[in-house]
Amino acid sequence: MKPLTFTLRETPPERLDLSPLTPQALAGLSAKEIGQIRLGMSKRGLTVGDLFRVSGSDAKNVVFEGGSSRFDGMGTGMTEGSIRVAGDVGAQAGRKMRGGQLLVEGSAGPHAGSCMRGGRLEILGDAGDHLGGPLAGELAGMNGGVLIVRGSAGAYAADRMRRGVAAVLKGCGDYAGARMIAGTLVVTGGVGRLPGYLMRRGSILLDRMPEELSPSFVECGAPDSVFAAVFDRYLVAEGILRRSLLGAAPGKFGGDNAVAGTGEILFRR
Amino acid sequence: MLTRIAGGEIVDPVNGRVGKGDLWIEDETIVAAPSGRQPDVTLDAAGCIVMAGAIDIHSHIGGGNVNTARLLLPEQHKAHAPRPAGTPLSNVGWTTFDTGRLYAQMGFTTVVEPAMSPGAALHTHLELADIPIIDKATLAILGNDDFLLSMVRDKASPVMIEDYVAWTVASSRALGVKVINAGAAAAFKDNVRSFSFDDVVPFYGTSSRSIVKTLQAAVGALGIPHPLHVHCNNLGIPGAPDTAAETMAAAEGLPLHLAHLQFYGYGAEGKRGFSSEAARLAALVNSTPEITIDVGQVMFGQTVTISSDVLRQFSARGTANPRKSVIYDGDADGGGIVPHNYRDDYYGSLQWAIGLELFLLIEDPWRVFFTTDHPNGAPFTTYPEIFELLMSREARAKAMEGLSKRALGLSTLPDLTREYTFEEIAIMTRAAPAKLLGLKDRGHLGAGALADVAVYRKGNDIAQMFRSAALVLKNGELVVEDGIAKNYRWGKTLRLKPTPDKAMVKRLEAYHQERYGLSLNWFDFPDSAIPREQPFGEVSCNA
């Protein structure tokens, strides 16, 4: 069976809510039913048929040929199957996803992987602010799964993260891992100001010493760490990095003591 | 314009008018049936109950704490997204606009915000002015403020205290005075974490009792129609009935209103140390004629508790659901916002039952008032369901089926057979509130009354009947038809206007200069600050 493919006809004239197009929601729908799903966010009432040419029938494998920064809510709440987007996506890609795989070959907007609980979200380009972070009023951000950004990420990456692994390979903005509750954030390529700001627990793993830390972090020397060795092997085995990140005896900062936190920032010395 | 509401069943206990008939309205006023004149508009009310517009005496609809609750729970109003079910207040619009619309659709035409911090008066009135359709009013909070407590400590003359209360009511544009856990917020600042009626506030050396008595006397002497509105100490604690009983006894023959009594109905019996003492409290209310109470009924589901009882909210913050809260130890009362989910477990069932017991065991509908302490016990959108529970024994039996048997076994509710009549409902939600607040122009349908009228289509589903009124008129204007608000007029905020004493103003000027380095003008505002034509309606004090 060929993947269910949505080929974008032209640049969408308004922001779209693509959350109805997940493998579990599309399963068992006829071509006609799929064509009638409403995606537009304005009163115009744009449907799938207005925007895409639809081909293929395997709803477990969904492909978007062409993307746009107006593609909001891609893969929201997906639980199974896979979605591949040959292009960019907008805000909240993979929000609350619980399983399956979402691959974005272009770049993603803010709140990519927001509150995701499982599955694998991979972005080959860049991601916006609040990677994996909660929306206003929510108490926790990323809560499980694996989130990989091959490019860079904006500010507040892994904000209020609680579980899972997030990796950003070409650096991220200020406040990386802010308010982390637990979980692991990996950043290669440098972080901006104050990584780990107000973190309670969790680990932030860096390929170099952070330049500007909150004064409420404490330098802890270079303690022996079994975790560092185990996690280095995991990152390579999972295909996230090509070679080990931390190496033997990485440096460590503990904090954030402003919130009596017991988190750690480990970095290659 | 002459309007006739034709053929409805009129329920107007104040004027002894019960039965089929027409109601005539000329412009803003109800008039006697005019002879030889044809109405300009005839509204058909056949098969309907016709009552005065309802009045809610205790509902937190505006002001600093309400706004803080909005800020704490931004997931409530995500733009352009459907409101997620089961989040706090998901069934209530969270905006001022929806507050007016939803109240009007249930036939409510006047609502009192019972806890306005005088320092937040401008904010509160700006917000109330933004609530459409209905009239509003506020009660000003006193009793934890340094100026009053210092006067009580220094044994200031009653006249001086009256002058201060008069200035506060006048400058904050209030309709009455409320005291919240008297003295406890002041004591909280000295790390006191539990506070009863005869406990003494550190530094000021004055007890909760003496603060309540001082304010009760001042309110009476000033001729403020609404008796002192008391939020007693020890809210929500097993054993609180003792505190409520002490407070009632302290009324000593003079009027006193106790707010949300349900939250004081918890005994310490049973395996869990949590039982109903509603019967005891109801008996006390029945035998103490100077006391009025409102219930503060609990209904199940998610809500958020909003209170200036900072001590109580501080101790409740561990139960916050979702797990976030705001506590602020501000000037005078401070306050706390703690989201809460009332479940139909043992504790929730008992709280629900205690409220209904109070409704049903207090005999005089003129002295028990219909509230949920919105949103503390439940959002005001649950009112229709509560009317049904009060008016139908069967509805109560059905509701009890799914609840904790053990909890209901410790309450008298399963044995109560009383059913409220339409007349009793009309007294409890119309006539009595108007009398309690001193609003002589409403609460009844006699000639000369303000034409606030609610018309409900009779049916078997009582909740549906009260949820969407067939017709509602506010000041003679048709505002709701078939449960849908049609006419978004602007109501007024009702206030008293006692003349402040000049010497007291001078003293307060000096006090504010010394304490805050600010002129007293910063704590007052001109009417023109409210962007409505005539934002206020004046209510007169008793002679």
Side-chain angles (χ1 to χ4, degrees):
Chain A
M1 273 200 298
K2 283 198 171 151
L4 183 58
T5 305
F6 295 86
T7 309
L8 187 62
R9 292 203 168 110
E10 57 189 341
T11 309
E14 64 188 47
R15 296 208 80 84
L16 306 178
D17 175 10
L18 293 178
S19 60
L21 304 186
T22 55
Q24 78 262 23
L26 291 167
L29 294 188
S30 68
K32 195 176 164 206
E33 285 169 322
I34 291 173
Q36 287 169 344
I37 296 173
R38 278 183 69 152
L39 300 177
M41 301 275 271
S42 79
K43 61 188 173 188
R44 264 184 295 203
L46 284 178
T47 61
V48 169
D50 298 333
L51 293 156
F52 297 102
R53 194 157 44 77
V54 185
S55 59
S57 60
D58 180 10
K60 282 234 181 303
N61 287 303
V62 177
V63 174
F64 287 86
E65 287 295 346
S68 160
S69 61
R70 287 174 166 170
F71 276 22
D72 290 345
M74 176 67 76
T76 297
M78 70 184 284
T79 55
E80 57 181 13
S82 76
I83 300 178
R84 180 172 69 84
V85 186
D88 295 342
V89 296
Q92 299 180 23
R95 175 164 157 81
K96 292 201 166 171
M97 69 183 281
R98 306 183 74 99
Q101 301 214 15
L102 172 56
L103 173 65
V104 177
E105 293 180 356
S107 291
H111 280 114
S114 167
C115 300
M116 68 184 279
R117 298 185 73 97
R120 181 179 170 115
L121 166 58
E122 186 160 356
I123 297 161
L124 301 187
D126 300 332
D129 293 342
H130 299 281
L131 181 73
L135 299 186
E138 292 172 338
L139 295 176
M142 186 171 167
N143 211 341
V146 179
L147 168 50
I148 304 158
V149 181
R150 300 272 170 200
S152 66
Y156 292 97
D159 183 27
R160 277 198 178 255
M161 181 176 190
R162 236 186 118 210
R163 200 172 290 132
V165 177
V168 182
L169 303 194
K170 288 196 179 147
C172 62
D174 298 339
Y175 302 105
R179 311 187 292 173
M180 259 174 96
I181 299 162
T184 307
L185 169 65
V186 175
V187 185
T188 62
V191 292
R193 299 184 62 221
L194 307 186
Y197 188 63
L198 302 182
M199 75 189 289
R200 296 227 299 265
R201 290 186 305 281
S203 307
I204 299 176
L205 314 182
L206 307 174
D207 63 345
R208 63 193 77 175
M209 187 159 128
E211 281 170 20
E212 191 180 343
L213 265 182
S214 169
S216 43
F217 275 82
V218 178
E219 193 170 356
C220 307
D224 280 345
S225 171
V226 177
F227 166 74
V230 170
F231 208 79
D232 265 357
R233 280 207 296 280
Y234 163 82
L235 287 170
V236 174
E238 190 75 6
I240 297 172
L241 294 179
R242 291 234 185 84
R243 50 181 182 275
S244 74
L245 171 72
L246 297 168
K252 174 177 168 176
F253 288 100
D256 184 339
N257 290 299
V259 289
T262 54
E264 60 183 2
I265 297 177
L266 299 179
F267 58 94
R268 177 183 277 271
R269 283 191 305 153
Chain B
M1 195 177 77
L2 190 64
T3 308
R4 179 170 72 126
I5 300 178
E9 200 174 308
I10 290 174
V11 181
D12 180 18
V14 173
N15 298 297
R17 191 172 172 202
V18 177
K20 259 208 175 115
D22 290 355
L23 188 71
W24 290 80
I25 293 162
E26 177 122 52
D27 299 327
E28 293 205 333
T29 318
I30 294 171
V31 292
S35 57
R37 286 179 64 193
Q38 288 301 313
D40 300 305
V41 181
T42 300
L43 300 168
D44 180 25
C48 295
I49 298 274
V50 180
M51 294 189 192
I55 302 170
D56 189 341
I57 66 158
H58 193 116
S59 172
H60 299 278
I61 54 171
N65 279 349
V66 176
N67 226 28
T68 307
R70 290 188 178 109
L71 291 171
L72 177 67
L73 302 163
E75 65 268 36
Q76 291 312 298
H77 41 90
K78 266 180 210 154
H80 310 302
R83 199 177 293 286
T87 49
L89 300 167
S90 57
N91 49 354
V92 181
W94 201 212
T95 61
T96 48
F97 181 83
D98 276 349
T99 301
R101 180 175 69 84
L102 293 167
Y103 259 119
Q105 287 175 179
M106 298 192 299
F108 279 74
T109 50
T110 308
V111 179
V112 180
E113 156 60 56
M116 172 180 63
S117 166
L122 175 57
H123 172 154
T124 308
H125 285 297
L126 283 169
E127 210 178 318
L128 294 183
D130 207 37
I131 294 178
I133 307 178
I134 59 175
D135 284 343
K136 294 81 55 174
T138 61
L139 304 180
I141 307 170
L142 283 173
N144 281 300
D145 49 312
D146 172 67
F147 194 81
L148 180 77
L149 296 193
S150 300
M151 281 199 295
V152 176
R153 176 193 58 203
D154 301 341
K155 305 218 166 14
S157 74
V159 176
M160 198 180 264
I161 287 167
E162 286 156 30
D163 287 342
Y164 173 60
V165 173
W167 176 83
T168 306
V169 167
S171 71
S172 67
R173 276 78 163 171
L175 189 64
V177 179
K178 183 188 194 193
V179 58
I180 296 175
N181 202 350
F188 183 77
K189 295 174 174 53
D190 279 289
N191 292 327
V192 170
R193 293 294 177 260
S194 78
F195 198 73
S196 291
F197 199 49
D198 283 308
D199 286 349
V200 169
V201 188
F203 179 69
Y204 297 103
T206 169
S207 68
S208 197
R209 178 190 297 272
S210 68
I211 298 168
V212 170
K213 290 304 292 176
T214 303
L215 283 171
Q216 184 196 27
V219 166
L222 287 168
I224 294 175
H226 184 43
L228 180 65
H229 197 100
V230 185
H231 166 130
C232 298
N233 321 96
N234 291 330
L235 182 141
I237 294 169
D242 294 338
T243 310
E246 281 175 322
T247 312
M248 283 190 227
E252 294 170 334
L254 296 172
L256 202 64
H257 180 86
L258 267 57
H260 37 69
L261 195 63
Q262 177 274 130
F263 288 111
Y264 301 92
Y266 312 147
E269 303 296 312
K271 216 165 61 181
R272 293 181 173 85
F274 194 74
S275 59
S276 167
E277 290 207 24
R280 173 185 164 204
L281 286 182
L284 264 174
V285 173
N286 285 336
S287 62
T288 321
E290 66 269 28
I291 293 290
T292 50
I293 68 114
D294 64 85
V295 171
Q297 176 67 29
V298 158
M299 295 292 273
F300 304 113
Q302 179 74 58
T303 189
V304 54
T305 65
I306 293 177
S307 179
S308 294
D309 187 345
V310 63
L311 188 150
R312 138 82 201 171
Q313 294 296 73
F314 179 78
S315 62
R317 73 198 189 289
T319 65
N321 181 354
R323 280 171 53 188
K324 51 183 173 179
S325 56
V326 174
I327 307 289
Y328 73 95
D329 192 10
D331 226 26
D333 284 82
I337 316 298
V338 182
H340 191 83
N341 193 350
Y342 288 103
R343 297 180 192 285
D344 55 2
D345 57 7
Y346 176 84
Y347 297 96
S349 300
L350 204 53
Q351 289 181 294
W352 176 85
I354 289 169
L356 291 175
E357 280 183 276
L358 290 173
F359 270 121
L360 298 167
L361 289 171
I362 297 175
E363 288 149 10
D364 184 359
W366 286 92
R367 294 201 288 121
V368 54
F369 292 85
F370 183 92
T371 68
T372 58
D373 191 15
H374 163 83
N376 293 328
F380 68 78
T381 43
T382 57
Y383 286 3
E385 281 76 32
I386 304 174
F387 282 125
E388 178 163 45
L389 292 170
L390 296 180
M391 295 185 75
S392 161
R393 209 163 43 190
E394 278 165 42
R396 286 203 295 273
K398 207 167 155 221
M400 277 188 276
E401 273 169 23
L403 302 183
S404 159
K405 296 278 168 294
R406 204 181 290 266
L408 294 172
L410 286 174
S411 103
T412 60
L413 186 64
D415 306 326
L416 299 179
T417 56
R418 180 175 169 195
E419 291 181 334
Y420 268 75
T421 63
F422 281 115
E423 276 170 77
E424 286 174 322
I425 294 286
I427 291 170
M428 179 169 65
T429 58
R430 275 83 175 164
K435 182 175 165 223
L436 184 77
L437 297 167
L439 309 176
K440 298 188 183 74
D441 61 349
R442 60 192 80 192
H444 64 96
L445 296 172
L450 192 66
D452 287 1
V453 183
V455 178
Y456 300 104
R457 182 149 292 124
K458 264 181 121 167
N460 291 333
D461 187 343
I462 299 172
Q464 180 56 26
M465 171 180 163
F466 283 104
R467 190 176 298 117
S468 53
L471 299 167
V472 178
L473 286 86
K474 178 80 193 85
N475 288 34
E477 287 179 56
L478 185 60
V479 289
V480 172
E481 247 180 306
D482 288 328
I484 308 286
K486 301 271 181 183
N487 174 4
Y488 290 94
R489 65 183 294 280
W490 295 107
K492 289 187 178 179
T493 300
L494 307 173
R495 60 164 300 191
L496 301 172
K497 205 171 185 179
T499 315
D501 174 72
K502 281 200 182 108
M504 176 51 66
V505 173
K506 223 178 232 174
R507 213 179 129 173
L508 282 164
E509 174 67 41
Y511 172 84
H512 284 85
Q513 285 288 5
E514 190 197 318
R515 285 300 164 112
Y516 303 104
L518 291 171
S519 154
L520 190 58
N521 288 335
W522 284 89
F523 300 86
D524 199 351
F525 57 91
D527 282 1
S528 59
I530 312 294
R532 297 251 173 265
E533 251 174 78
Q534 294 183 312
F536 296 107
E538 204 177 310
V539 175
S540 53
C541 287
N542 299 333

